[in-house]
Structure formats: C-alpha cells, structure tokens
Amino acid sequence: MCKIAAKYATNTTKALDLGCATGRASFELAKTFDKVEGIDFSVRFIQVGSKLQEAGYVAFTCKEEGELSINKKVTLQDLGYEQLAEKVSFWQGDACNLKPDFTAYDLIMATNLIDRLYNPRLFLDTVDQRLNADGILMLTSPYTWQESSTKKEFWLGGYKDENGNAVRTIERLKDILHDKFELLHVEDLEFVIKETTRKYQHTVSQVSVWKKR
C-alpha cells in the first residue's frame, strides 16, 4: 500500500495517513516522506502509535483460543523504524471535520476509511483543499457499506438506483472527483487480519490513486 503511494507521489515533503489505526502505515510512509501525520478517530488506536514512537516499544496481548492468550512486545528496532520516529506524529481527528492546520500535503492516504465515514461525500468534496498542487489522494476500501457506520442515504455505492441499476462505489468516486482529480490507477489489494491462532480475516480492498488537477 505504501509502496503504491510512494510510486505515484510527485513530491515527498509531507503526507497524511488518514484512518491510520495503530500507525504501522504512518511509519512505512516515513521511509519516503520527510514528515508524516497519522490521524484516526479512535483515541485507543492513536495511543498505540504514540507509545511506539515515544517509548520505543508496545506490549500487547494476542488471543490464541477461547480464554487463552499470549503476551507479546514489539520495538521500533524490531520493525526497523528507529530512524523514522521523529518524522511521524499522531493525532485524534474526524476525517469529515479536520482542523484547518491539517493541510499542505503531497499525499493523503485514506485507508479502508471511505465506507466507515458518516458523510463520505463531505470528505471527498473538501479533501482537495488539503493537498498541494499535484498532490495525490489514495483511497483504499472493501466498500463494506453498512448503516451502523453510514446512513444509507449517504452510501456512495452498494445499492440499486430507482431504475434497478447497480450503483458501484468506484463509478461514484469517478463522478464526484472528476472535476478536481485525475484518476491514475486502480487495483485490488489483499490484506489479512489475525483474530486467533487459527482464525484470520481475509479482505480485498480496492485501491484508487488520484492526482489533484
């Protein structure tokens, strides 16, 4: 994912990892960008990235089976991030209502985020204002639209219109972003989340890369 972002970014001064979760991708982006800001709505997630950055390690528990679990620890050195820590900062924030000072980015990477926002159209209509000239917007999402995250009236895809035609998210993204962005690339990207020793969650996100006009 970060390799795709680095491939298409024209300038590499500052990047935003939006929906950064625990911050792994933020550190990976710091291999290419001079400064990386990671933002997530969850304070708990942000605290993990901040702890790794400031203390140099994170301790956590992995579920094995039933009530059994194992304690683990990972360090900046283990991950090869010891030289990157000063380039990264983490913040709690709302992607649909970011503070004005989160701006002037060469890359905004919104990872598995668009289908989790309460108003994705609001985010898309204003994201260009936070990018520099020739800035890159990279969206990844499995398009798992659900009303627990987004009211159905705000879904960008995953439904049929009044004529019974299927509305696909990528086509709506093209319609919404066309005037402000050029679509450079689309591909599928698989990722796996470990739940227990023998249970994994396999997801295929669609990646779309857009260049600000």
Side-chain angles (χ1 to χ4, degrees):
M1 181 172 58
C2 293
K3 290 180 180 179
I4 298 173
K7 177 181 177 180
Y8 287 96
T10 304
N11 303 303
T12 57
T13 300
K14 187 167 73 164
L16 172 62
D17 182 11
L18 196 53
C20 68
T22 56
R24 180 70 182 267
S26 300
F27 285 103
E28 288 292 324
L29 285 174
K31 294 178 179 179
T32 300
F33 292 86
D34 299 333
K35 180 179 180 181
V36 178
E37 294 176 336
I39 297 178
D40 200 278
F41 190 77
S42 169
V43 174
R44 286 181 57 207
F45 281 161
I46 290 299
Q47 289 174 339
V48 175
S50 295
K51 174 70 180 296
L52 179 61
Q53 178 193 34
E54 296 168 6
Y57 76 93
V58 172
F60 56 97
T61 301
C62 286
K63 191 172 183 179
E64 291 191 296
E65 58 179 277
E67 297 179 345
L68 302 179
S69 61
I70 184 172
N71 295 323
K72 291 191 175 183
K73 178 180 177 181
V74 66
T75 69
L76 281 173
Q77 188 174 13
D78 293 335
L79 298 170
Y81 295 158
E82 61 266 38
Q83 303 301 319
L84 305 175
E86 294 184 0
K87 299 171 68 175
V88 180
S89 59
F90 294 101
W91 308 87
Q92 191 277 333
D94 178 355
C96 296
N97 187 30
L98 291 176
K99 294 179 179 179
D101 49 332
F102 292 117
T103 189
Y105 296 107
D106 298 309
L107 168 76
I108 294 179
M109 186 173 73
T111 307
N112 299 326
L113 178 74
I114 197 73
D115 59 345
R116 292 292 183 265
L117 299 178
Y118 58 85
N119 192 340
R121 180 65 187 263
L122 176 61
F123 165 69
L124 294 173
D125 283 344
T126 57
V127 67
D128 64 295
Q129 301 170 17
R130 301 181 184 277
L131 281 166
N132 293 328
D134 295 328
I136 295 296
L137 171 65
M138 180 170 155
L139 305 174
T140 82
S141 175
Y143 306 145
T144 312
W145 297 102
Q146 49 192 8
E147 292 189 87
S148 59
S149 301
T150 315
K151 290 183 179 180
K152 196 168 184 179
E153 61 194 273
F154 295 128
W155 289 10
L156 300 183
Y159 62 91
K160 291 184 178 180
D161 64 19
E162 61 274 12
N163 297 316
N165 298 313
V167 178
R168 306 291 182 184
T169 306
I170 186 61
E171 299 305 323
R172 290 284 288 123
L173 290 175
K174 291 176 183 177
D175 291 340
I176 294 168
L177 296 174
H178 178 267
D179 290 342
K180 298 176 180 179
F181 290 89
E182 174 190 358
L183 178 58
L184 301 181
H185 179 70
V186 177
E187 72 172 80
D188 284 345
L189 187 67
E190 300 179 75
F191 66 92
V192 175
I193 298 175
K194 183 177 181 179
E195 295 185 12
T196 70
T197 300
R198 295 176 176 82
K199 183 181 178 184
Y200 295 79
Q201 181 188 124
H202 176 230
T203 305
V204 181
S205 282
Q206 185 173 67
V207 180
S208 58
V209 182
W210 311 78
K211 182 177 181 181
K212 183 177 177 179
R213 295 187 187 275

